[in-house]
Amino acid sequence: MYRYDEFDHTLVAERVSQFRGQVARRVAGELTEEEFKPLRLMNGLYLQLHAYMLRVAIPYGVLSSLQMRKLAHIARVYDKGYGHFTTRQNIQYNWPKLPDVPDILDELAEVEMHAIQTSGNCIRNVTADQYAGVAGDEIEDPRIYAEIMRQWSTLHPEFSFLPRKFKIAITGAPNDRAAVKVHDIGLRMVRNEAGEPGFEVLVGGGQGRTPMIAHTVRDFLPIRHLLSYLEAILRVYNQLGRRDNKYKARIKILVHETGAEKFTAMVEDEWAQIKDTPLALPESEVARIKAYFAPPEYDTLDDNSPEFDAWRGGDRDFDLWVRANVAEHKVPGYAIANISLKPIGGTPGDATADQMEAVADLADRFSLGEIRVSHEQNLVLGDVKKRDLYALWQALKTHDLATANIGLISDMITCPGLDYCSLANARSIPIAQEISERFADLERQHDIGELKLKISGCINACGHHHVGHIGILGVDKKGVEHYQITLGGNADQNAAIGKIVGPAFSGDDVTDAVETIVETYLDIRADGESFLDTYQRAGLEPFKERLYAAH
Amino acid sequence: MTTQIVTANRLDDGAVVYLSADGRWTETVGCARVGNGSDEAEDLLAIAGHAVADGLIVEAYLIPVTVENGVVCPVHIKEVIRANGPTTRLDLGKQASTQTAAA
């Protein structure tokens, strides 16, 4: 993984020192809240329902075990013993005290972490495929380019005050696990006819109150032009993006209102002027960053592990965990192990300090000391020997981290909702917990198969409900929480926005409604069909009929 | 006539607080000073404005409440959650001390 150089260390240390002074001046009354608020937001510090909330960046979702231990330490010492992993591959602490925040940032800096650009109208933490570098279907490791973008975008003077926040995601594989089509800019690594790697560039995707799928503005961008092309896109957006209405300020609105073709032409015009400036990436610089992400020295192993096969055959629970949580690794004899942060009845994305430390220990013991955070609010150990999976699973069980539900109905993306968030209209977590309890039977979940359920507590869509196979949106109807259901959303390479199935349900009825949807699917599915396959074949009607039959 | 109280977050730790009858900022919604009608609400906000200027609290605003048998209760669920803590974690927020006391 990337290690800070002296510039990174200096920049982060100076930033913490600067913020320490700002906090001291605020506490001493030398700064008003109006003056202080933009300063704290630039350091990832929000004021939420119950307390301050500190959002810490995990660049492209990669953590060392040392960093994870530090996150656990902060949770225990400065917060209430837990943290919340988010869809931006960040971690949020819900209860820090203002005077402690500079100390927290100092502690983070010790392990090369920070909270810069986790808030505000700037380029946010760049997210990436959680299987980067280890996935068998990968063209190239996207973390190299995510790191280059991190360095380019950090405190970029031209893009520190954009019309609105700006989110970039990158995947190195054709199978999109990073939801690139619902980001302001999505990058997919592709090869041209000569076999050279480059990027397909997508612009103008996003969720929120106006969900949109991104448009491809370039089928193939050579690697050397990555930053100049991004700079051209950001310049067009910075100049033309609306600043008079925050709800219409995202780049998706600009692309939509301008038209993708005209927008692309403007970007290409701007790019033509800057493509051969020092923004062009020298091969030597790419190689330098690439060296940080060089594959580790893997053992030469047989891909077949008789011990692993025997454990799978002899232990049904382990077999279920492998089926759901283990993915193929590009190196024979190794596997990718997903750690679910969605225990039945738990809060999706939460991890206690003890669990974080346990994961750090297990990463050291079984996975070369590295951990990934997925945008689906789970953790990943990327380099586990197949023959170690059984021992890993047993260890995970002791920490309530072995739920075998990755990609299944109880593996929900869920925003904090009205239990924590000052923007929310309705609670998300209790709905997720009730659905999770209803479908607690793992055998049943496996029978249902892949089903991505996503819940947001307001129209800002932090819970990605628009791209859930089943999406649930909390709304406030005359002071009472209600839940609108969408079907058919999808966040992968075939991304789609879900369709509203009908009138909203009360909080008491929404779990029954989900069950009706699932039962309808089970009744009408053809052999081998997933939930999404069935929905795409049968459409909304059969689900709608069953849901509203009694009305 | 609307019955309201004024709430805010404490600068130091962000805790949810309410202007109390004795003019201090209390963490307990039940101790909040109640204002009936717009004139009394204006008075509450004016006092809060001074506390904001003094750097004690931030983001003060009025919320509607009901008062039955002397018990003050926020009307909207968001304010009920602010007054108590997350509904999914009774060990967190103000309700945590109630839990501890009851244990």
Side-chain angles (χ1 to χ4, degrees):
Chain A
M1 66 190 290
Y2 181 73
R3 305 294 307 173
Y4 276 11
D5 62 18
E6 70 272 27
F7 298 107
D8 296 300
H9 279 293
T10 303
L11 184 149
V12 173
E14 286 181 353
R15 186 60 179 260
V16 176
S17 169
Q18 187 185 51
F19 189 55
R20 185 178 292 282
Q22 291 162 350
V23 169
R25 288 161 63 204
R26 175 68 183 114
V27 171
E30 294 164 20
L31 289 175
T32 65
E33 185 62 12
E34 195 180 17
E35 291 163 334
F36 180 64
K37 188 174 176 180
L39 302 175
R40 69 167 157 77
L41 288 175
M42 282 182 208
N43 288 279
L45 188 62
Y46 291 73
L47 184 60
Q48 291 286 8
L49 272 193
H50 309 290
Y52 291 98
M53 180 272 276
L54 180 67
R55 181 179 292 151
V56 177
I58 301 171
Y60 33 95
V62 178
L63 280 171
S64 68
S65 57
L66 182 73
Q67 291 172 322
M68 184 63 109
R69 283 192 192 92
K70 180 62 85 177
L71 296 180
H73 167 79
I74 289 167
R76 186 175 289 123
V77 173
Y78 298 100
D79 210 85
K80 297 199 176 188
Y82 72 108
H84 177 71
F85 289 96
T86 78
T87 58
R88 298 292 307 154
Q89 298 178 317
N90 298 309
I91 184 169
Q92 294 179 176
Y93 295 105
N94 287 311
W95 307 88
K97 293 179 173 59
L98 179 60
D100 287 343
V101 174
D103 293 338
I104 297 172
L105 296 179
D106 257 337
E107 295 233 24
L108 288 169
E110 284 175 15
V111 294
E112 305 184 348
M113 296 186 78
H114 59 72
I116 297 169
Q117 290 182 196
T118 59
S119 174
N121 294 338
C122 53
I123 300 171
R124 301 288 187 89
N125 185 37
V126 174
T127 53
D129 180 357
Q130 68 273 14
Y131 295 171
V134 292
D137 59 350
E138 191 169 87
I139 289 166
E140 201 170 324
D141 188 341
R143 293 173 302 173
I144 300 155
Y145 307 102
E147 172 56 28
I148 289 170
M149 287 188 279
R150 186 192 70 81
Q151 295 189 15
W152 161 76
S153 65
T154 299
L155 305 186
H156 192 307
E158 191 177 334
F159 305 134
S160 292
F161 296 95
L162 293 165
R164 278 286 274 144
K165 58 187 168 183
F166 202 90
K167 299 175 179 178
I168 302 175
I170 182 168
T171 176
N175 296 307
D176 180 8
R177 291 173 285 263
V180 301
K181 286 190 172 180
V182 284
H183 280 75
D184 294 304
I185 293 179
L187 296 164
R188 300 174 66 191
M189 299 215 70
V190 290
R191 288 191 189 279
N192 63 9
E193 285 175 0
E196 297 158 335
F199 307 98
E200 178 190 351
V201 183
L202 301 104
V203 178
Q207 299 188 62
R209 69 182 58 223
T210 317
M212 289 185 185
I213 301 298
H215 297 269
T216 297
V217 294
R218 215 161 215 282
D219 291 322
F220 184 82
L221 179 74
I223 283 170
R224 68 187 297 265
H225 293 307
L226 173 65
L227 296 187
S228 59
Y229 204 81
L230 293 180
E231 190 118 341
I233 295 168
L234 266 297
R235 277 193 178 171
V236 170
Y237 170 57
N238 208 12
Q239 287 167 16
L240 301 179
R242 287 181 63 167
R243 292 174 189 269
D244 60 325
N245 180 340
K246 68 180 284 196
Y247 303 115
K248 297 191 172 183
R250 299 293 290 267
I251 196 171
K252 63 190 172 187
I253 305 293
L254 177 65
V255 174
H256 179 72
E257 292 188 350
T258 308
E261 209 169 301
K262 191 174 171 192
F263 175 83
T264 306
M266 286 191 287
V267 170
E268 292 280 330
D269 282 351
E270 180 65 33
W271 184 51
Q273 296 174 50
I274 59 174
K275 64 187 284 195
D276 294 316
T277 63
L279 278 171
L281 278 171
E283 276 182 30
S284 59
E285 183 60 11
V286 175
R288 188 181 74 83
I289 302 293
K290 203 177 267 190
Y292 288 102
F293 298 97
E297 287 198 12
Y298 291 108
D299 290 347
T300 304
L301 301 171
D302 193 327
D303 202 38
N304 296 313
S305 166
E307 313 101 291
F308 170 67
D309 292 341
W311 283 316
R312 277 194 83 171
D315 191 326
R316 176 66 180 159
D317 290 343
F318 177 61
D319 183 59
L320 283 178
W321 182 76
V322 172
R323 278 169 54 190
N325 293 33
V326 174
E328 258 189 59
H329 195 287
K330 67 181 182 183
V331 176
Y334 284 82
I336 301 167
N338 287 276
I339 300 172
S340 172
L341 293 182
K342 322 286 175 61
I344 299 303
T347 301
D350 274 11
T352 65
D354 289 349
Q355 287 177 320
M356 287 188 244
E357 280 172 351
V359 170
D361 292 346
L362 292 171
D364 282 341
R365 194 170 146 205
F366 294 115
S367 191
L368 308 173
E370 192 182 270
I371 302 127
R372 316 292 183 81
V373 181
S374 78
H375 89 271
E376 293 181 315
Q377 301 179 285
N378 294 310
L379 302 176
V380 177
L381 298 183
D383 293 302
V384 184
K385 290 173 184 164
K386 281 186 180 175
R387 66 183 183 215
D388 288 340
L389 283 169
Y390 193 66
L392 170 66
W393 172 72
Q394 287 178 311
L396 288 170
K397 276 202 297 183
T398 65
H399 299 283
D400 200 16
L401 290 167
T403 311
N405 63 349
I406 297 294
L408 306 179
I409 191 169
S410 65
D411 178 18
M412 293 169 246
I413 290 181
T414 309
C415 76
L418 197 49
D419 278 301
Y420 291 96
C421 177
S422 55
L423 297 175
N425 293 319
R427 285 171 292 169
S428 303
I429 298 166
I431 301 300
Q433 290 173 322
E434 193 176 318
I435 294 170
S436 167
E437 297 277 9
R438 179 72 66 91
F439 291 90
D441 180 351
L442 275 172
E443 297 278 359
R444 185 181 177 207
Q445 288 196 52
H446 280 259
D447 177 44
I448 294 164
E450 184 183 53
L451 206 172
K452 305 221 171 190
L453 196 153
K454 308 186 187 207
I455 309 174
S456 301
C458 78
I459 196 65
N460 292 305
C462 295
H464 290 198
H465 67 278
H466 292 299
V467 290
H469 300 171
I470 299 175
I472 299 177
L473 166 66
V475 291
D476 181 329
K477 285 176 82 169
K478 296 180 181 169
V480 179
E481 296 161 293
H482 276 71
Y483 297 88
Q484 198 174 68
I485 294 181
T486 51
L487 296 180
N490 186 11
D492 68 14
Q493 61 277 9
N494 303 309
I497 305 297
K499 290 192 174 131
I500 297 171
V501 72
F505 295 87
S506 72
D508 288 340
D509 292 338
V510 68
T511 300
D512 286 340
V514 169
E515 178 131 32
T516 300
I517 291 165
V518 171
E519 287 300 320
T520 305
Y521 152 66
L522 293 175
D523 288 347
I524 65 173
R525 71 176 167 185
D527 274 356
E529 272 187 345
S530 67
F531 175 83
L532 201 56
D533 293 335
T534 299
Y535 170 80
Q536 285 166 350
R537 175 178 54 78
L540 209 56
E541 277 312 308
F543 299 98
K544 197 170 181 167
E545 273 172 28
R546 288 272 286 269
L547 274 172
Y548 300 103
H551 296 275
Chain B
M1 187 168 63
T2 313
T3 304
Q4 297 180 97
I5 60 174
V6 66
T7 182
N9 290 79
R10 197 158 52 206
L11 173 67
D12 180 63
D13 57 3
V16 176
V17 288
Y18 306 92
L19 178 64
S20 68
D22 61 5
R24 289 189 292 189
W25 290 89
T26 174
E27 290 191 30
T28 310
V29 68
C31 300
R33 176 176 158 188
V34 175
N36 290 305
S38 56
D39 287 350
E40 289 185 22
E42 287 296 319
D43 290 345
L44 295 178
L45 271 186
I47 296 168
H50 291 302
V52 169
D54 291 341
L56 297 173
I57 58 158
V58 293
E59 301 194 4
Y61 59 95
L62 294 163
I63 58 168
V65 292
T66 57
V67 184
E68 283 180 30
N69 301 322
V71 177
V72 178
C73 187
V75 170
H76 195 279
I77 185 169
K78 175 178 178 178
E79 293 302 332
V80 173
I81 293 171
R82 283 182 81 239
N84 296 321
T87 60
T88 56
R89 291 283 304 265
L90 303 184
D91 58 326
L92 300 174
K94 297 194 178 81
Q95 62 204 351
S97 52
T98 317
Q99 296 282 310
T100 309

